[in-house]
Structures are given as C-alpha cells and as structure tokens.
Amino acid sequence: MLAAPAKGHAFASTIKTFSTASGKEHRFFSLPALARKYPNVKRLPRSIRIVLESVLRHCDGSKVTAEHVEQLANWKPNAARSEEIPFTVARVLLQDFTGVPLLVDLAAMRAAAQGVGADPKRVEPLVPVDLVVDHSIMVDHYGTKMALTQNMKMEFARNHERYQFMKWGMQAFDTFRVVPPGFGICHQVNLEFLTKGVHQRKDGVVYPDTLVGTDSHTPMINGAGVVGWGVGGIEAEAAMLGQPVYILTPDVVGFELKGQLREGVTATDLVLTVTELLRRNKVVGTFVEYFGEGTASLSVPDRATLGNMSPENGSTIGLFPVDGRTLEYFEGTGRTRAEIELVEAYYKAQGLFGAARAGEVDYSRVVTLDLGDVTPSIAGPRRPQDRIDLGDAKKRFAELFTTPMEVGGFARPAEAFGERVHIRPAAPMDALAEPAGFEVGNGDVLIAAITSCTNTSNPGVMLAAGLLAKKAVEAGLKVKRHVKTSLAPGSRIVTEYLQETGLLPYLEKIGFNLAGYGCTTCIGNSGDLTPELNQAIAEHELVCASVLSGNRNFEARIHPNLKANFLMSPPLVVAYAIAGSINVDLMTEPVGKGRGGKDVYLGDIWPSSDEVQKLLKFAMKGKAFRENYAKIETEPGKLWEKIKGVTGQIYDWPSSTYIAKPPFFDGFARTTAASAAEAATRDHSVRGARIMALFGDSVTTDHISPAGRIKESSPAGLWLKAHGVQKQDFNSYGSRRGQHEVMVRGTFANVRIKNLMIPPLPDGSRVEGGDTIYQGAGPQNGQKMPIFDAAELYMASNTPTVVFAGEEYGTGSSRDWAAKGTQLLGIQAVVARSFERIHRSNLIGMGVLPLQFRGKDSWELLNLRGDEVVDVVVDRKLKPQGKAKLIIQRSDGSTQEVPLVLRLDTPIEVDYYRAGGILPYVLHQLIGD
C-alpha cells in the first residue's frame, strides 16, 4: 500500500498516483493537479515545468516556500527577471579535473569543521555524486595498436597521487562513486548509463532525474529529456551538500525544428548551424527548448549532440522532450523494462510526454530552423560559432591568413602563404614516420582527432567515419605523414560496435588507432608535436591547423603552436587527415590520389545514409551496455585496482605537488550574533586598488584558468622545479587542480591572453601572454612581469587589485579555478561589459565582486591605461543588482565617477558574498551556526 501524503506540506493536495503499463502504482507531485490552482502551468515550457516540480516537491517553508512555487507557476514569457528559483537537483556529476578540487574542498571543510569542534561527518553529500575520470589521459602515443596501453600507463604514472586521493574519497563519503579511467567521458557515460530518467524516494514518490555537473557540457543529457546544466565546482559542492541551486527565473527560447536533414548532412553539421544561429540570436543565460515536428526525425544521440553544445551557443540548457525516441534509446542502451515503463508512465501522467506543437506553449521568443536547409559545415578557426560552409573553407582560410588579428585573422603577409618547410625528423614520428622527411606549410593539418563527447556519443557519425575510412583504404588513400591522428571515443561501446561492424581495422590502417577513452584533444590533451615541427612553426611563423570532432577550438586550447583549429564531424576529420591541409576544397578538389594515381573525391568515399542506417543496429545492443558498465564494480582495471588510498574520515594531507590543503578556510570560525551583525553592515567597497589587467571581449575561462601544458619558465614551472619535479613529469594544469600553489601561478598565464595595458608592438599587434605592468611602489614600478609576480608584490603591500574586461567575460568551460585563482591573486573585483553565467556565479562563490558597466560605457571609452588608482564603491546594504560606482584617480590628479551595476543578481548571492563565498556559507549551515 502506498504511503499517505506528506503532512504539513503546503501543496499536499498535489500528491497523486499513476500506474505503469505493468499495473504498478506510484505517487508523484502532480503538475496537472497544481494547474487546477494555477492554470498558467498548462502553457509553461517543459523545462520550466520540470524545475517547478522540484520546487513543488521541496517546498519546506524554509529554503523553498509556497511563494517560490506560486512565482514559478505564474511564469510569464517576457516578464522582468528579478525572482530567483531555488532548484534542488537529484544528483551531481563530476569529471576528474573539476571533481578533484571539489573533493579537496570537501576534505578541507571536514578539517575546518573538526577545527571548530563540530562533527566532520556533517560534511557529507546529501545527493548521489558520480565522478568520472576522463580528463587525464593524453595522446602521447598514437598510430599503433599499443597506443591505448601506453597512454594509460603514462596516465596512471602521472596521476598516481590524484587517484590515491580519489580512493580516499570513495571510502570517506557514503554517496560518492568513481567511474575509473578507461570507461569513457562523463557526459557519454551519463547518457548511456547514469541517468535512468526518473528517481524514486524511500517514501515511494517518483520524480524526474535532474542534475548539475562540474563541466559546461553537462547539457548533453538534455537530449534524453533530463534537465541539467554545468556549474562550477563551487556551486556543485553546495548542491551536493543540500543547498538549492539558485538561478534567476530564465527566459525560455523555443527552437522549432521543421523537416529533416538532407542526404550527406550530419548531426555535427546541424549542431554547428544551430550554434551559429543561437549565438546570433543572443540566447546567453536562457533555457532553449526544442519543439516541432522536426524533433521526431532526430535520435537521442542527435539530440544529445545539440544539447552538448549549449555552452557554445550561450544557453543554459537545450532541452528535448521525453518521447518515443527516448524510450527507444533507453531500451537500446540496456535500461530495464521496469525502468522504461516508469519513465513513460511518469512523463505521461505529468503531461510532459512528446514534443510540443507550435502554439501549445508560451515561449519568450521562437527561433525556427528547417533541417533541410542545413549544409555540410566546419567551424573555426578560433570559435565554435564561426561556422563555415564546407565549400568555402579553403577560401575562408586564405582570407584569414592576411586579415588583421584584431578582426580574427592571422596577420601574415600574402607572400608567405605558399611557403613550405622541409622537416627531417631526428627521431621517428611514432608509427607514421617518414624517414626521408616531409614538407609542411601554412594550412597543413598537423592534428586530426576523432575526440570529444559531442560527436563520439553519436553512432551515426562514428559509423560514418568508419565507413569513410573503409572506402578510403579500398581506394588506396593514405593519411598525410605530417598528421598526428587519434581515435578517442567517449565510451568503450564505440569500439565494440566499430569492431563488430568490421570498421575499426580500416580506421587503424590510416592511423586512427585507439588512443584512449577520454576527452584528449578536445580539452588540449593532444600530446605534443615533434620538436622539429614545433621549431619549424616557430621559426617560420606557420599557421598550421588541427581538425577535431570536438566542441571547443579556442586559442591555444588544442596545441599552443597551432593557430587554426576547426570543428567538424568525425568523417570530415578523416577526410581532412587524408587531404592533409585546410587549403583543399573538399567539395570540388580531390581528397587525394588513390591507386594508379587516380584522383579520389569526397563524394567517392562519403557514406550514404542507408549505409549508416544498416549498421546502427550494432550500436544499440542493451546487453552490451549492461555488461560494459557492470565492469565499473566487477572489473575496474588492473591499473586502478593497484591504487591504494589512505583511509579515515579526515584526510591527512601528505606532502604532494598534486594535492594540498587549500587556504579557503584559514581563519574559519563559528558564527556568533555579533559577527553576523558585523558581516551584514561591513563595507564591501574596494578602495585604493590598482589595475591588474585590461582585457578585451570574449576572454574565456581557457584564458583565465590554468589549462594545458605547464611551461618550464612559467611561475608554475619554476615552483614545480623548486619542489623537485622534472619537466617531463610536469603533467598538465588540469591534473594539478588539487594543488593551489600550482594553480594560482598559472591563473591568467595563457600564452594567447592579451593584457591590453601592455603597449602594442611596433607593428601595432598586441603582446600575448600572462603579463602585466606593475604599478606599485619600489624599484619594480613600471616593470613588465608575470601577473602572479605582480600579485605577490601587491598583496605584500596590502594593495587590492581589480580587472577590467569587455563583453562575454568568462565564456567557456565551467572552470572554478578561473575564480579561485582570481581570488588567490588578491583581485577583489572584476568590472566588465558583460559576464558569462557560470563564471560570474563562480566569482561570487569565491568572494570576488562582479560589476558591470552601464549602457555603452567601457574601460576603452574611459581611456583607462592601467596606471590609475580606482575605488569600487558599493552600498553597505548590498542589494541584488544594486547601484555601485567606479571612482578613477588618474596620474594627472584628476578624478572621474562612473556608475556601475552590482552583479549580485539574487538575495542568496548577496548572502554568499557577505559570508566570503559559498563554501564558508555552506559550512556554517552544515555545522549549525
């Protein structure tokens, strides 16, 4: 018998029952029942309704009130957005680069709790947490059958201390699970295995699966109808410790899909088209919801590809409906019949099953796309929204070669375009060596990677890549010798179906051997090029390229020496690897010469939709999925089993260059009435500050946060060498996110970041690299130096610093170290034209004040040079989006006042900031202050 409705719940009357096809009865919080009181609910977007269900279910009169339910139930498509939603998620997803520092913070919180006499076990995840190790493997070896084994051995050797720490976390926290290295990428594992569509409480209440993840591509799960998005590790920590995720009530953009894709057009082409379209429609911070008859033509992997790229188009989520396609996917990936029945019955009972039709739902605005208009595309060379028709790629690259850097070009002289440099390797280039040497030039593809959760999750494009490789081999085509090729799927299932269809051997014959199961090239873990290639690029200023089936192609992300990086479908990655250059028009020119010197064109080897369709049955075998993921517990791998971690509830912080106790809780004390009153009236203005940096538009978290390789001469490299680490053992910044001494030294140290307070070069180009001009007292005044070194000097003299920036500050991955590093450098405020959502939230979470210029104001219009002293003045009674002002004191003695907007958007963000950040706030809550 089902339990009685919850007593005392403000909306107990909405608890109803529903039955599955097998006749099992379940309880749920019914949105149709709520609609009897609030008729507006019937016309709400599906995404808002799913969030509303969480608010309704968690209405406790404290964190979530009846007013919150009423406000969201009365959501209007174009109302002013001033109300916050306390969204309590069902679970949290982590990847290892962002998950390890989160675990470090939890360990530090336990130590801080113990330090003030509280029970450290109070610091415990209250919702299930899954950490998938997918960011650590690098493509050091490629082009051989031993590449996977060799890369994994190197991965475990490099990351032994990190993996020991994860093993401690597994035994210390009851709801913390680790998916070991070698299983896949977190988002693909999430889609294929972790989500069940719905959850059930101990009291029998069924509710939708929802989550936040510490990776910006968490919205990939939106393809299965699950609401989830990426947050920084700081927010995720709060979510797993029982705090709602607070967001401003969003606008919801309806994206109507019509028709179906044409022959020869892939899901990747579609997603690049949608990314361009939505960026143009400025959907930053909105929910996007796909609807219309065209949705039925897209499989869940196709939909997941679109959801995955939500960060690239700027939206928070890109939700598809739960429908027959969803159930079909769940069956094909091994979910049980009972689980599938429960998902179907639940969503039908809520009135949420199937795609909305035009006019059924009230959206803030609607964007429409006819799928038949999508054409073969690539995107680049620096941003995923810069889509290029495949037939225009050659011409576009030639244009960009001479275009000034300020408008996205490479600023090279036209006469250098055709330059070729002879390379004679001192040592073989792995298995694909050309002993006699070879030539490289501008536009040559040096890295070709089938990589990333975005596309390797999609059997359609992966099978197409295999079929194209098969036809290429049969035609006598080979990959050019200067191309570093790799295959790194997001799941072991991919290689299973490529083997079963007989396509894997053909990929291997042209160099696309399995290199690892992880993000690899997509996050910059591409491994290095040969010294000879790096030298040739540097000495001749070559503009060489990478091609990858990933989601990000920001400057210096893929490889610091490759300036042109293009996103595309897996079959196009193979085609460009064969062509060897971007300077080939694949629509009209041969891909290469086959047997007998015959020209072979892309159309000769491009697989048809029917050919792909016939093989899809091999990719959707439920038994294979169940057997694969059962091995997480039964056969996690010999390398993983050898790792032994310390035990106990409190971590003992052994000396390590990977894991260290962070300083975020130094001086933590229990709250008293007096200290609470003092915090509420403290002056949070920043006075007498120096300017650390002046940045332009689109400064990404890749620019801000330490990422990629660690240079030997950098502050981080020097610190590692001083601590006995050899250069070959530096590993990446991402792998060292648990060691704050490394990370703070790498913040703002990207080789492509441009601090515009540094004077331009004689030719007018801007200086690149993480330097600043120190403006403090002493002999170093006016000297150019690394930002970290300047920060050390400013902090030694108790001088606060601020950063100024343009539009879209903090675009990109949800890297909490972009905010943590900012705080540890002593930067107390960031003033920008606009912020990307996650990074603004993370700044607040670390106690750094985000402020926004009003109207058309900018630091450029204010003629800031970097030698000014500034005050950022805010009201003692902080209010969401309250007024603030910037007072500029110039070197000539003049002053200027400029109005600013305080970007603490919600009351809870004010509370977080007053507490010094979200982590101290949550810890006070947990220990009962």
Side-chain angles (χ1 to χ4, degrees):
M1 181 178 291
L2 294 173
K7 292 182 179 179
H9 194 287
F11 297 93
S13 62
T14 64
I15 300 177
K16 304 296 181 183
T17 61
F18 69 95
S19 297
T20 66
S22 299
K24 291 186 178 179
E25 195 172 52
H26 299 273
R27 300 165 66 222
F28 74 124
F29 279 83
S30 169
L31 295 175
L34 185 67
R36 295 186 193 119
K37 184 174 183 180
Y38 304 107
N40 187 59
V41 169
K42 294 178 181 178
R43 295 193 59 82
L44 292 179
R46 279 158 170 69
S47 53
I48 295 294
R49 279 190 258 179
I50 291 170
V51 175
L52 174 59
E53 187 279 341
S54 172
V55 177
L56 174 65
R57 180 165 33 93
H58 288 94
C59 182
D60 59 3
S62 177
K63 290 178 184 175
V64 184
T65 66
E67 287 73 22
H68 287 127
V69 175
E70 182 175 355
Q71 287 167 0
L72 193 55
N74 288 318
W75 178 90
K76 301 299 180 187
N78 293 297
R81 303 303 181 200
S82 59
E83 297 163 350
E84 61 182 356
I85 304 171
F87 179 40
T88 307
V89 296
R91 58 190 177 94
V92 172
L93 176 69
L94 314 176
Q95 42 97 330
D96 57 308
F97 272 15
T98 50
V100 165
L102 183 150
L103 189 58
V104 166
D105 289 345
L106 287 180
M109 289 173 80
R110 278 200 169 176
Q114 185 182 53
V116 296
D119 181 1
K121 277 291 286 180
R122 290 190 184 182
V123 180
E124 177 75 36
L126 300 179
V127 298
V129 179
D130 290 289
L131 186 154
V132 182
V133 185
D134 61 359
H135 274 52
S136 296
I137 193 164
M138 293 185 176
V139 186
D140 293 295
H141 298 274
Y142 68 100
T144 74
K145 287 187 178 295
M146 291 300 295
L148 173 65
T149 299
Q150 291 170 319
N151 288 332
M152 286 197 70
K153 284 182 178 178
M154 292 187 73
E155 173 191 357
F156 273 81
R158 286 171 174 146
N159 297 285
H160 187 82
E161 294 174 33
R162 297 172 66 240
Y163 295 167
Q164 282 184 314
F165 182 58
M166 289 181 200
K167 284 274 180 103
W168 169 79
M170 291 172 69
Q171 62 82 44
F173 298 99
D174 297 333
T175 53
F176 181 80
R177 175 171 58 173
V178 174
V179 177
F183 276 88
I185 301 175
C186 64
H187 308 304
Q188 193 162 343
V189 173
N190 193 23
L191 187 69
E192 294 179 350
F193 170 63
L194 296 178
T195 185
K196 306 302 181 194
V198 294
H199 297 266
Q200 190 164 8
R201 290 192 326 205
K202 291 180 180 179
D203 65 359
V205 169
V206 176
Y207 56 97
D209 184 25
T210 57
L211 70 147
V212 289
T214 57
D215 189 281
S216 54
H217 293 98
T218 301
M220 180 166 166
I221 200 64
N222 301 161
V226 175
V227 169
W229 60 81
V231 296
I234 305 159
E235 280 184 282
E237 241 166 298
M240 59 193 259
L241 293 171
Q243 294 294 307
V245 176
Y246 290 91
I247 59 169
L248 273 181
T249 308
D251 284 356
V252 181
V253 177
F255 197 112
E256 185 178 15
L257 294 170
K258 297 181 177 180
Q260 59 184 17
L261 296 175
R262 292 184 288 148
E263 178 66 34
V265 175
T266 68
T268 312
D269 302 322
L270 170 61
V271 85
L272 295 178
T273 301
V274 170
T275 300
E276 177 190 44
L277 182 59
L278 288 179
R279 272 290 174 187
R280 198 162 61 229
N281 277 273
K282 299 186 184 301
V283 298
V284 172
T286 69
F287 284 8
V288 169
E289 194 168 298
Y290 295 94
F291 73 100
E293 45 91 13
T295 58
S297 69
L298 300 178
S299 67
V300 165
D302 292 342
R303 299 172 180 188
T305 309
L306 281 164
N308 181 288
M309 293 283 278
S310 293
E312 280 66 45
N313 64 50
S315 63
T316 303
I317 64 172
L319 188 71
F320 279 86
V322 172
D323 60 6
R325 287 283 202 168
T326 317
L327 305 181
E328 176 187 281
Y329 180 78
F330 279 177
E331 181 178 7
T333 50
R335 274 67 169 195
T336 66
R337 171 48 48 193
E339 288 170 335
I340 297 168
E341 280 188 1
L342 188 58
V343 170
E344 181 178 15
Y346 175 82
Y347 275 88
K348 285 182 174 177
Q350 288 286 32
L352 294 172
F353 192 84
R357 290 175 292 189
E360 286 184 344
V361 170
D362 294 328
Y363 293 113
S364 303
R365 51 196 162 102
V366 172
V367 177
T368 301
L369 175 67
D370 189 325
L371 296 174
D373 292 338
V374 178
T375 58
S377 304
I378 67 173
R382 293 188 180 91
R383 300 189 307 175
Q385 64 262 41
D386 295 332
R387 189 191 66 84
I388 306 169
D389 277 328
L390 182 59
D392 294 334
K394 177 182 178 180
K395 180 180 69 173
R396 181 63 179 148
F397 179 78
E399 292 170 349
L400 290 169
F401 188 77
T402 57
T403 300
M405 293 178 67
E406 291 74 24
V407 287
F410 301 110
R412 298 285 291 124
E415 58 270 21
F417 187 76
E419 181 180 5
R420 306 292 294 172
V421 181
H422 188 77
I423 305 292
R424 188 177 296 277
M429 288 179 61
D430 220 318
L432 301 181
E434 184 71 64
F438 50 89
E439 288 188 343
V440 295
N442 294 298
D444 279 9
V445 172
L446 300 189
I447 290 177
I450 300 176
T451 177
S452 170
C453 51
T454 311
N455 287 290
T456 67
S457 62
N458 193 317
V461 292
M462 293 301 291
L463 290 167
L467 285 166
L468 188 142
K470 180 176 186 291
K471 293 185 177 189
V473 169
E474 291 170 345
L477 295 173
K478 297 180 180 179
V479 167
K480 294 294 186 292
R481 295 302 188 182
H482 53 70
V483 184
K484 181 174 184 176
T485 47
S486 61
L487 169 64
S491 164
R492 297 199 297 203
I493 292 293
V494 176
T495 44
E496 285 194 28
Y497 67 67
L498 286 175
Q499 285 173 328
E500 195 169 352
T501 54
L503 297 177
L504 189 60
Y506 292 100
L507 285 163
E508 292 173 338
K509 283 180 182 178
I510 54 175
F512 285 93
N513 294 78
L514 183 63
Y517 294 103
C519 305
T520 62
T521 304
C522 189
I523 60 161
N525 284 359
S526 55
D528 206 357
L529 302 172
T530 64
E532 295 79 17
L533 278 173
N534 284 327
Q535 182 179 353
I537 294 169
E539 289 182 355
H540 297 270
E541 298 185 60
L542 297 178
V543 182
C544 295
S546 73
V547 294
L548 65 151
S549 60
N551 45 51
R552 296 267 166 83
N553 53 347
F554 300 141
E555 290 180 295
R557 181 183 178 94
I558 308 306
H559 188 282
N561 289 336
L562 298 185
K563 296 180 180 179
N565 303 285
F566 294 93
L567 308 179
M568 59 190 65
S569 66
L572 278 180
V573 169
V574 178
Y576 269 112
I578 295 168
S581 176
I582 290 294
N583 291 321
V584 176
D585 183 353
L586 292 184
M587 298 298 281
T588 61
E589 297 176 11
V591 178
K593 291 188 179 293
R595 289 189 179 87
K598 180 184 176 182
D599 286 339
V600 180
Y601 292 84
L602 185 62
D604 299 329
I605 57 175
W606 192 265
S608 69
S609 298
D610 286 344
E611 288 175 304
V612 174
Q613 203 65 35
K614 287 177 183 177
L615 298 180
L616 280 176
K617 61 184 178 183
F618 294 99
M620 301 300 289
K621 291 186 172 182
K623 182 181 178 183
F625 282 87
R626 285 192 295 272
E627 290 176 350
N628 174 63
Y629 286 111
K631 293 177 181 176
I632 292 172
E633 301 292 340
T634 61
E635 299 178 48
K638 292 181 180 179
L639 292 171
W640 182 253
E641 289 174 341
K642 288 180 181 178
I643 300 290
K644 304 299 179 185
V646 299
T647 58
Q649 298 303 310
I650 303 294
Y651 194 62
D652 59 1
W653 305 106
S655 177
S656 169
T657 58
Y658 278 95
I659 305 294
K661 185 179 179 182
F664 306 133
F665 300 99
D666 291 354
F668 179 83
R670 293 189 117 158
T671 302
T672 64
S675 62
E678 189 274 332
T681 58
R682 185 185 305 140
D683 184 8
H684 293 283
S685 299
V686 181
R687 301 181 189 277
R690 286 292 186 174
I691 298 174
M692 184 69 81
L694 298 170
F695 294 128
D697 294 341
S698 298
V699 170
T700 72
T701 50
D702 277 24
H703 289 118
I704 306 166
S705 179
R709 297 168 184 80
I710 301 173
K711 288 182 65 176
E712 190 174 12
S713 60
S714 69
L718 294 173
W719 185 89
L720 287 170
K721 288 178 68 177
H723 285 76
V725 181
Q726 300 299 310
K727 181 186 176 184
Q728 63 267 25
D729 298 322
F730 277 6
N731 211 335
S732 65
Y733 278 114
S735 67
R736 294 188 182 272
R737 287 186 183 179
Q739 172 51 273
H740 61 277
E741 295 287 2
V742 173
M743 298 303 286
V744 69
R745 285 166 169 79
T747 304
F748 294 111
N750 186 285
V751 296
R752 292 287 176 261
I753 198 169
K754 301 179 184 72
N755 185 352
L756 302 180
M757 69 188 286
I758 297 175
L761 297 171
D763 64 0
S765 61
R766 285 294 185 176
V767 175
E768 296 181 324
D771 292 326
T772 189
I773 304 295
Y774 177 66
Q775 302 289 351
Q780 298 99 334
N781 181 53
Q783 288 184 14
K784 176 184 169 186
M785 63 180 67
I787 284 177
F788 172 78
D789 293 344
E792 290 276 276
L793 292 171
Y794 284 128
M795 288 189 288
S797 62
N798 293 315
T799 302
T801 52
V802 298
V803 163
F804 287 88
E807 300 276 3
E808 297 179 350
Y809 183 73
T811 296
S813 300
S814 54
R815 290 184 169 147
D816 53 339
W817 263 108
K820 287 179 175 178
T822 298
Q823 187 240 50
L824 290 180
L825 288 171
I827 296 167
Q828 295 188 16
V830 177
V831 186
R833 288 272 299 150
S834 67
F835 292 89
E836 198 79 349
R837 176 183 61 85
I838 296 175
H839 185 58
R840 184 195 63 81
S841 176
N842 280 344
L843 288 173
I844 298 164
M846 291 310 301
V848 178
L849 203 60
L851 301 113
Q852 190 164 324
F853 286 110
R854 291 178 178 270
K856 295 183 179 181
D857 281 347
S858 68
W859 67 261
E860 292 98 332
L861 287 176
L862 295 172
N863 294 314
L864 294 183
R865 300 187 309 173
D867 61 349
E868 298 84 357
V869 175
V870 300
D871 296 342
V872 175
V873 181
V874 297
D875 195 302
R876 284 179 180 267
K877 294 182 179 179
L878 295 177
K879 294 181 180 179
Q881 294 203 342
K883 293 180 180 180
K885 63 181 177 181
L886 174 69
I887 302 175
I888 305 165
Q889 303 168 47
R890 302 186 188 274
S891 56
D892 62 5
S894 64
T895 62
Q896 183 179 2
E897 288 192 12
V898 181
L900 301 173
V901 177
L902 180 67
R903 285 304 309 274
L904 304 177
D905 287 354
T906 66
I908 194 65
E909 288 184 346
V910 171
D911 290 342
Y912 290 158
Y913 181 74
R914 278 190 178 134
I918 195 171
L919 301 183
Y921 176 90
V922 171
L923 185 53
H924 281 299
Q925 298 276 313
L926 289 173
I927 64 176
D929 290 347

